[in-house]
Amino acid sequence: MYAVEVENVTVELDNATILDNISFKIEHPSISAIIGPNGAGKTTLLRTLLGMIPTSSGNIRIMGMPLKDNLTKIRRLIGYVPQRTRISTSVPLRVRDVVLMARLSRNGPFYLPRKKDILAAKQALEYVGLLDLWDKRFTHLSGGQQQKVLIARALAVEPKILLLDEPFTGLDIPSEKAIIPLLYTLRVKKDVSILLVTHDINPLINCADKILLLRRRIIGFGSPLDVIKEDLLTQLYGTRVTVVEKEKACYVVERDRHV
Amino acid sequence: MFEAFLVSPFILRAIIAVFLISILSAFVGSLAIFRESTFLVAGVAHAALAGAAFGILLSLYQITPYIDAFTGALIFAILVALFVGTVTLKSEKASVDVAIGTAFAFSMSIAVALISMIKEYATVAWGLLIGDLLLLSEKDILYLIVLTTIVMFTTLIFLREFLFVAFDMESATAYGIRVGFYHYLMLLLISTSVVVILKGVGAILVYALLTIPPAAANEIGKSTTSVIIIAFIISLFSGLLGLYIAFFVDIAPSGITGLIVTTIYMIVFIWKRVQLRELKSH
């Protein structure tokens, strides 16, 4: 069973080709990372998988269902975590409002929260270790806590596939380290397929099943061992990068900084 | 003295209007704050002024029997809100500011041109620029009651969706929410509310009275419900105090009320910053 099947997909926006004839398949359950430099089409790919951007050509299937004909059904299978920077700080929502909002809104404006909804939201928040923040205002939390609450919101809809857009942006190393095992446990214990977009390759090298190197077209796709190679990464980032192995972990560096 | 204040029918109508405007400020003003579209309120108010002049012109020459100052204002306000709403959905923040600014300038230019054409009735249109709570008629109050009821219930029914769209439009789309529908409905509620309170508070101060109470409330409220309640209390307190002072000092009540709400906002803003600084130093 494949969580995502993308077949010869091209996406054009404002007469520019953003994704150029890309094809890949992601098994279910698994953790996959889409990696590439800024402007590589990573977020566009996620939005295309969510049916927010139409394809110019090609086919997409999610959990075996063609995207075009089953958009409503497919959206009920997906949990989405956007880039934290796109979230408004002007809305005075409490953590519980945020965690419940996607689950409740899916059922229409006249749906009132039931016990099972509150339970699902609390379980999701407990899963990310923030149940004690249930009544706190979202904007009063740290960046790492906000990111975890957004993950909890996606988990509260009990998804089969979790899509995350740049989940590590703006996070310090401890917050980043806290999120990775969380994703791993989701895949192992809850059979959730995770597809995340990042420009920072290093946090995921040791936990991703598949890595997709994207720069408008696919530069490489496979296990980390297959694609974390200097020639592919140099082609991906357009600058010379070095892969350093240390204590069974490898790191990708460009001169004195990681990419 | 206080009895004299309460027995005047003008004052009684003004008190009812303040109460209803406070409800609109709490619900619609809060939506504008959450949606970060407070400048739209000012833009729509000035478009309404042009619309009112247009309505007066049409009724003056009996071109159409259905358009008067109110309906003209409503049509122009909604058109500007739709224009700005479309730009907001499809463009970056900078373009939105330019679009609102352009709509604002365009509306005011039309207003000035049309008002110069309706010389003998120009005071009616200019009256909407300043507004006067004490000159509201029973018909105006009726409009306010009907609209406030509609706005309040619509906001309560769709509050969850409005908040989702304001908080995180992208995810709202991803989770299958009809973002476009709720976006335009919010704009419709905001623009209609602006028009219906325009005669009472005036185009210049509608921004202050509709959006500053929820802006102050948003500094101290811990949830959307508490922000809406605090905004209502600030708006009602400022409105009634403004009316009371205006009655005895003979100054336009909306001017006094505007001064009170902006003072409250500044106090809340400074108090909040001092509190944050103290928290950080501990």
Side-chain angles (χ1 to χ4, degrees):
Chain A
M1 174 80 164
Y2 290 106
V4 176
E5 295 165 80
V6 173
E7 207 177 271
N8 305 321
V9 164
T10 295
V11 173
E12 289 165 346
L13 293 173
D14 298 328
N15 295 324
T17 304
I18 310 296
L19 296 174
D20 188 7
N21 195 29
I22 63 167
S23 301
F24 64 91
K25 286 180 182 177
I26 290 171
E27 280 167 8
H28 179 74
S30 62
I31 297 180
S32 308
I34 304 169
I35 290 165
N38 291 337
K42 306 185 295 289
T43 298
T44 302
L45 177 55
L46 272 199
R47 288 178 179 173
T48 308
L49 296 178
L50 284 161
M52 290 159 73
I53 296 176
T55 55
S56 306
S57 62
N59 298 307
I60 296 172
R61 296 170 80 85
I62 306 285
M63 300 300 280
M65 292 181 283
L67 180 66
K68 275 178 192 161
D69 310 322
N70 301 280
L71 193 54
T72 311
K73 216 187 272 185
I74 285 169
R75 280 179 170 165
R76 287 190 164 264
L77 300 175
I78 293 179
Y80 177 59
V81 182
Q83 284 186 32
R84 202 163 41 84
T85 48
R86 295 214 189 97
I87 301 255
S88 167
T89 53
S90 301
V91 189
L93 291 170
R94 288 167 298 183
V95 166
R96 63 164 149 176
D97 301 324
V98 176
V99 179
L100 274 164
M101 65 176 14
R103 186 181 172 100
L104 298 182
S105 296
R106 278 183 167 185
N107 295 303
F110 298 101
Y111 181 85
L112 293 172
R114 296 174 188 171
K115 269 187 185 172
K116 61 173 183 177
D117 300 310
I118 306 290
L119 192 68
K122 284 193 169 176
Q123 278 174 348
L125 207 53
E126 192 170 21
Y127 192 77
V128 299
L130 296 181
L131 187 55
D132 52 329
L133 300 181
W134 180 252
D135 275 320
K136 285 263 179 217
R137 190 166 156 165
F138 179 79
T139 48
H140 292 170
L141 308 184
S142 69
Q145 288 172 328
Q146 287 185 353
Q147 193 67 60
K148 283 184 182 175
V149 170
L150 294 175
I151 292 174
R153 180 180 70 175
L155 295 182
V157 303
E158 297 167 81
K160 287 280 164 211
I161 302 172
L162 185 62
L163 303 182
L164 302 100
D165 194 354
E166 300 281 7
F168 308 119
T169 302
L171 296 191
D172 54 17
I173 292 170
S175 304
E176 193 177 286
K177 275 189 172 173
I179 287 172
I180 293 166
L182 204 82
L183 300 178
Y184 191 72
T185 319
L186 268 179
R187 172 225 188 283
V188 175
K189 289 193 177 165
K190 299 210 169 185
D191 277 355
V192 175
S193 281
I194 293 150
L195 179 60
L196 59 89
V197 152
T198 179
H199 64 274
D200 184 1
I201 192 168
N202 286 315
L204 294 159
I205 289 177
N206 299 308
C207 80
D209 297 302
K210 290 277 170 65
I211 289 181
L212 176 78
L213 305 181
L214 184 72
R215 189 170 182 165
R216 304 213 167 195
R217 56 189 180 80
I218 292 179
I219 305 288
F221 179 60
S223 68
L225 276 177
D226 293 334
V227 297
I228 304 300
K229 294 194 167 142
E230 285 179 3
D231 57 335
L232 287 177
L233 294 170
T234 299
Q235 196 183 339
L236 180 72
Y237 288 108
T239 180
R240 193 164 172 73
V241 296
T242 309
V243 178
V244 179
E245 270 189 66
K246 194 177 180 188
E247 292 170 2
K248 289 185 184 173
C250 57
Y251 301 91
V252 179
V253 292
E254 181 213 355
R255 292 185 186 160
D256 60 346
R257 70 181 186 96
H258 73 79
V259 292
Chain B
M1 239 163 88
F2 190 67
E3 286 79 17
F5 176 71
L6 280 181
V7 292
S8 160
F10 300 102
I11 292 291
L12 283 178
R13 277 200 292 269
I15 290 173
I16 295 169
V18 165
F19 183 77
L20 297 168
I21 291 167
S22 301
I23 293 176
L24 288 175
S25 172
F27 283 96
V28 172
S30 296
L31 285 184
I33 293 285
F34 300 159
R35 193 71 191 85
E36 294 175 0
S37 52
T38 52
F39 196 37
L40 174 74
V41 172
V44 162
H46 290 82
L49 191 69
F54 185 65
I56 293 168
L57 187 75
L58 289 186
S59 58
L60 194 64
Y61 293 103
Q62 294 176 330
I63 296 168
T64 159
Y66 305 110
I67 307 281
D68 58 8
F70 179 77
T71 43
L74 197 61
I75 291 168
F76 269 53
I78 290 172
L79 284 178
V80 165
L82 291 179
F83 166 70
V84 172
T86 307
V87 177
T88 314
L89 266 188
K90 295 184 175 166
S91 313
E92 296 297 317
K93 180 84 176 74
S95 330
V96 175
D97 290 344
V98 173
I100 295 176
T102 310
F104 189 99
F106 182 70
S107 307
M108 279 314 287
S109 308
I110 291 185
V112 171
L114 289 177
I115 288 169
S116 69
M117 291 165 70
I118 49 165
K119 288 183 183 77
E120 59 270 45
Y121 292 93
T123 48
V124 179
W126 283 129
L128 293 176
L129 197 65
I130 307 293
D132 197 337
L133 278 169
L134 298 168
L135 290 182
L136 292 176
S137 64
E138 280 174 12
K139 192 178 155 194
D140 297 325
I141 297 292
L142 187 69
Y143 277 158
L144 253 175
I145 291 172
V146 171
L147 185 95
T148 307
T149 311
I150 293 171
V151 166
M152 196 173 74
F153 282 107
T154 312
T155 310
L156 284 172
I157 290 168
F158 297 117
L159 186 61
R160 194 163 61 211
E161 283 70 21
F162 287 154
L163 294 176
F164 200 169
V165 171
F167 177 69
D168 180 6
M169 190 185 264
E170 189 173 300
S171 296
T173 312
Y175 284 110
I177 310 297
R178 288 184 296 160
V179 166
F181 170 76
Y182 292 111
H183 172 71
Y184 285 112
L185 184 58
M186 249 191 284
L187 296 180
L188 198 66
L189 291 176
I190 294 171
S191 50
T192 317
S193 305
V194 168
V195 172
V196 87
I197 68 172
L198 206 59
K199 195 174 170 189
V201 300
I204 296 172
L205 284 172
V206 70
Y207 176 85
L209 302 187
L210 207 57
T211 63
I212 292 183
N218 204 18
E219 290 282 332
I220 45 179
K222 286 190 169 62
S223 65
T224 41
T225 313
S226 64
V227 167
I228 288 172
I229 292 169
I230 296 168
F232 174 74
I233 293 168
I234 293 175
S235 185
L236 188 65
F237 168 77
S238 312
L240 292 180
L241 185 63
L243 204 58
Y244 189 73
I245 295 170
F247 184 74
F248 295 106
V249 187
D250 197 22
I251 302 176
S254 52
I256 295 281
T257 308
L259 284 175
I260 297 168
V261 287
T262 43
T263 309
I264 291 174
Y265 179 79
M266 283 189 277
I267 292 169
V268 167
F269 184 85
I270 293 166
W271 175 71
K272 187 72 195 292
R273 297 305 173 280
V274 170
Q275 229 190 11
L276 281 176
R277 195 173 293 174
E278 278 175 8
L279 265 177
K280 275 182 188 168
S281 65
H282 286 125

